[in-house]
Amino acid sequence: MEVIETRIDTSSEEYHRNYEAMEALVAKLQKELRIAREDRSEKAKARLAQQNKLPVRKRLELLLDPNTPFLEIAPLAARGMYDGKIHGAGIVSGIGVVEGREVVIHANDPMIKGGTIYPMGVKKGLRTQAIAMENRLPIIYLVDSGGAYLPLQSEIFPDADDGGRIFYNQAVMSKMGIPQICGVMGLCTAGAAYIPAMSDEVVHVKGTGAIFLGGPPLVKAATGEEVTADELGGASVHCRESGVSDYFAEDDAHCIQLIRQIVRALPPPNKTKIGRREPRPPLYDPKEIYGIVPEKISTPYDVREVIARMVDASEFLEFKTLYGPTLVCGWAYIHGYPVGILGNNGVLFSDSALKATQFIQLCDKRGIPLLFLQNISGYIIGREYEKGGITKDGHKMVNAVATATVPKFTVIIGASFGAGNYGMCGRAYSPRFLWMWPNAQIGVMGGEQAADVMVTVKNDQLAREGKPPLTEEQVRQIREPIIAAALKEGDAWYSTANMWDDGILDPAKTRDVLGLAISTALNAPIRDDVYGYGTFRM
Ligand code: COA
């Protein structure tokens, strides 16, 4: 493999301007993450201390092996939604190392509205379970939740991807043989009672943990019976009498210790071996990405400069360099793991789409994970290209991306517009993980373009009706709200709040996150036994 020769002038004014812009975005990211982690009311803190419970981050700290990384999922989910305080959708979830083994953790934060489940909390729970299923990782639930956030019950309960799907997934995971371990560290009321009930093993904390289908107020209202939460569903009841729980814990710390022992006793994982090499850092400093990525998303730049700062020793074997140059494809290693990389270097043409299709097939056949670096305004449009079959060729690429079964990873490093999002493995194409950089934008098309389309549609309609075209003022009235909505709803912050991604990454740390993600993916077979695609339109 050859070292990518950089052409970046780190002393140029443009480099410094870009660097400062990205640095400001990364500072904003760090600030937002800090708020999501720390912003809790004094009332909630006092209540937790009074109950002798540990904060969720402390529980995690005790659970995870010391000095191991925790790959947090969607830490900014629900940002700016509800009352603006349901940080992380009230859940901390992610992939961490327990007793030397990669596991998925899903923990309610009792300091956020009693750990109740908001609609985005359901979405996060389902995403966390999907990660466990796709990567065949054991899952640990630390439950401490008042159940459904009742004022929004219609958004949580009835539909296919609502609350019921969490327990459905638990049954499916059980059938798949994915270990599920539950710590009952607070209330598990009503639906939430099924999380421990449907887990393989349940550790129950004395005094604070309780499982019941109806809490004391409901029991009193329904039957007149007066009982405390502990009498109704405490550790003693469920460990001694009902058999719902399996291990009796004296307190939070003891519960975590028991969970660690359960993980230690699991059969060892059978990770896929994919010819890992000795990891080597890139030749160029990953932080230089700040100065390379242009401040304005539409400004072109060479994606090889990003690849050079992401892959081991900045070495890259480029595939079909001279053909379809608007898509860079090639092989490299990240933290020692082989990857096939596809990075945009402009609009997708027929040749670039065909090159992608061939490259994806090769990686899939060889069992090499795919990394998509998305910075795409779309597939080329116009009469000449339609005649040349761009839709047919775009289809082949989309088809290959959809059906390749090796692990796929997507990082949206700039624009993610139109069908380009599909061809470059957007969320709907089931990458194992998808992240955004803080400068990224996503949408059917950019705001300006969408506004122009709507003005043209309106003018065509007026012309058909024999009426005069829109005045300047009317054009402004159509354009402004469309542009404003696209700007607000197309940025990385909005995306991550809605969980269209797994989180926003510092570009300089992306390589490390990818290393963890690839390692995670290797807990599952590298690809389906049956290698194959649908029919490619020729
Ligand atoms: N829906 C909406 N809000 C809820 C809620 C629910 N199910 N359960 C609790 N809350 C809110 C409380 O109103 C309170 O809000 P505030 O901080 O704005 O005043 C906050 O969550 C904390 O509740 P609080 O009771 O003060 O804290 P706690 O630590 O003593 O107890 C619970 C937390 C969850 C154990 C307790 O509130 C409870 O039992 N809730 C009802 C559980 C239930 O029956 N759920 C059925 C739904 S399936």
Side-chain angles (χ1 to χ4, degrees):
M1 280 183 192
E2 282 182 21
V3 169
I4 298 175
E5 289 275 346
T6 188
R7 295 205 171 84
I8 295 296
D9 174 6
T10 53
S11 62
S12 76
E13 203 183 301
E14 190 193 354
Y15 178 90
H16 285 288
R17 225 186 12 256
N18 293 340
Y19 198 102
E20 276 169 27
M22 185 61 89
E23 204 171 34
L25 286 170
V26 172
K28 176 174 171 166
L29 172 63
Q30 279 153 359
K31 184 171 159 227
E32 293 288 336
L33 291 171
R34 205 167 42 246
I35 292 171
R37 266 197 301 268
E38 294 170 8
D39 176 36
R40 303 292 180 272
S41 72
E42 289 308 316
K43 191 172 109 184
K45 285 182 196 165
R47 181 79 183 116
L48 199 84
Q50 185 193 27
Q51 292 168 305
N52 205 22
K53 293 201 289 196
L54 296 174
V56 66
R57 299 272 168 185
K58 185 73 195 167
R59 288 171 175 171
L60 253 71
E61 192 188 308
L62 293 178
L63 180 60
L64 297 165
D65 290 357
N67 304 318
T68 55
F70 180 59
L71 180 52
E72 193 167 345
I73 301 297
L76 299 180
R79 175 184 173 273
M81 294 182 182
Y82 315 118
D83 64 356
K85 300 265 182 193
I86 311 305
H87 304 296
I91 294 162
V92 182
S93 93
I95 298 150
V97 181
V98 174
E99 292 289 336
R101 178 183 188 135
E102 286 154 330
V103 298
V104 174
I105 298 162
H106 176 279
N108 302 112
D109 187 338
M111 282 203 280
I112 297 182
K113 280 277 177 200
T116 50
I117 311 297
Y118 282 68
M120 288 307 296
V122 173
K123 192 167 182 183
K124 189 159 173 177
L126 294 176
R127 174 71 192 131
T128 308
Q129 290 182 319
I131 291 170
M133 284 190 269
E134 286 173 358
N135 301 290
R136 308 283 201 282
L137 293 174
I139 181 164
I140 298 170
Y141 307 97
L142 303 182
V143 186
D144 191 346
S145 165
Y149 179 72
L150 290 170
L152 296 179
Q153 55 166 302
S154 68
E155 295 174 45
I156 297 164
F157 182 66
D159 211 346
D161 273 338
D162 282 348
R165 182 65 77 172
I166 302 244
F167 318 118
Y168 170 91
N169 282 345
Q170 284 192 271
V172 172
M173 282 193 267
S174 173
K175 186 173 171 185
M176 289 169 76
I178 292 175
Q180 298 180 78
I181 303 157
C182 178
V184 177
M185 310 186 82
L187 286 205
C188 305
T189 309
Y194 282 97
I195 293 187
M198 310 235 6
S199 294
D200 294 342
E201 287 168 272
V202 178
V203 185
H204 199 138
V205 180
K206 180 180 85 175
T208 46
I211 306 171
F212 29 63
L213 294 185
L218 186 64
V219 170
K220 179 152 193 270
T223 68
E225 189 185 5
E226 286 203 34
V227 282
T228 65
D230 200 45
E231 288 164 351
L232 189 62
S236 210
V237 174
H238 287 311
C239 291
R240 281 180 226 280
E241 297 175 60
S242 72
V244 171
S245 303
D246 309 304
Y247 303 86
F248 187 95
E250 293 295 333
D251 54 22
D252 278 12
H254 185 214
C255 173
I256 301 287
Q257 281 316 311
L258 286 167
I259 292 174
R260 286 182 56 85
Q261 286 180 44
I262 294 168
V263 174
R264 196 183 312 155
L266 293 173
N270 185 15
K271 287 186 75 168
T272 307
K273 308 220 169 4
I274 53 164
R276 191 173 181 203
R277 294 187 173 176
E278 190 60 38
R280 286 171 299 164
L283 225 55
Y284 314 104
D285 183 357
K287 246 192 148 180
E288 286 176 1
I289 293 173
Y290 290 13
I292 291 165
V293 175
E295 200 180 349
K296 207 160 171 265
I297 203 161
S298 51
T299 310
Y301 69 99
D302 190 353
V303 72
R304 292 178 190 86
E305 297 287 357
V306 168
I307 296 172
R309 286 153 183 87
M310 218 177 245
V311 303
D312 289 10
S314 305
E315 285 177 0
F316 187 55
L317 175 58
E318 191 166 341
F319 175 72
K320 273 186 153 66
T321 312
L322 304 176
Y323 182 83
T326 59
L327 185 73
V328 174
C329 297
W331 284 278
Y333 289 81
I334 292 182
H335 278 279
Y337 299 108
V339 281
I341 301 176
L342 297 93
N344 300 111
N345 243 7
V347 177
L348 287 160
F349 288 83
S350 276
D351 54 2
S352 27
L354 291 173
K355 171 169 151 181
T357 308
Q358 186 184 359
F359 185 70
I360 291 166
Q361 284 183 306
L362 286 175
C363 291
D364 199 23
K365 200 153 202 147
R366 296 176 185 175
I368 294 176
L370 287 161
L371 169 61
F372 294 83
L373 299 177
Q374 246 197 53
N375 179 22
I376 181 68
S377 55
Y379 287 88
I380 191 76
I381 55 169
R383 197 174 127 69
E384 183 193 339
Y385 302 106
E386 293 297 348
K387 232 169 56 182
I390 181 64
T391 308
K392 202 171 67 171
D393 295 331
H395 131 85
K396 293 188 193 82
M397 178 175 175
V398 171
N399 199 336
V401 170
T403 49
T405 62
V406 282
K408 299 173 277 189
F409 305 92
T410 302
V411 187
I412 301 181
I413 64 172
S416 175
F417 292 123
N421 166 287
Y422 309 154
M424 290 297 291
C425 203
R427 193 68 145 175
Y429 289 78
S430 294
R432 293 286 176 94
F433 296 94
L434 182 147
W435 298 278
M436 284 223 162
W437 279 358
N439 58 311
Q441 284 176 25
I442 186 164
V444 175
M445 57 181 84
E448 294 277 343
Q449 278 168 299
D452 287 345
V453 170
M454 289 317 293
V455 169
T456 308
V457 167
K458 193 69 205 168
N459 273 332
D460 288 352
Q461 194 186 65
L462 292 170
R464 267 199 317 273
E465 292 163 1
K467 292 180 184 159
L470 296 166
T471 63
E472 240 175 67
E473 174 56 18
Q474 285 169 324
V475 167
R476 199 183 57 75
Q477 278 172 8
I478 291 182
R479 284 176 56 83
E480 277 182 3
I482 296 175
I483 293 171
L487 267 182
K488 176 173 168 268
E489 294 166 9
D491 72 10
W493 310 105
Y494 194 85
S495 166
T496 212
N498 281 285
M499 288 194 63
W500 299 337
D501 55 60
D502 292 313
I504 301 179
L505 296 182
D506 175 348
K509 306 241 170 83
T510 302
R511 160 186 161 79
D512 298 336
V513 170
L514 284 167
L516 291 174
I518 299 168
S519 169
T520 295
L522 297 180
N523 284 276
I526 194 71
R527 62 175 167 85
D528 283 359
D529 287 342
V530 185
Y531 165 87
Y533 293 86
T535 306
F536 288 132
R537 179 176 295 280
M538 294 302 178

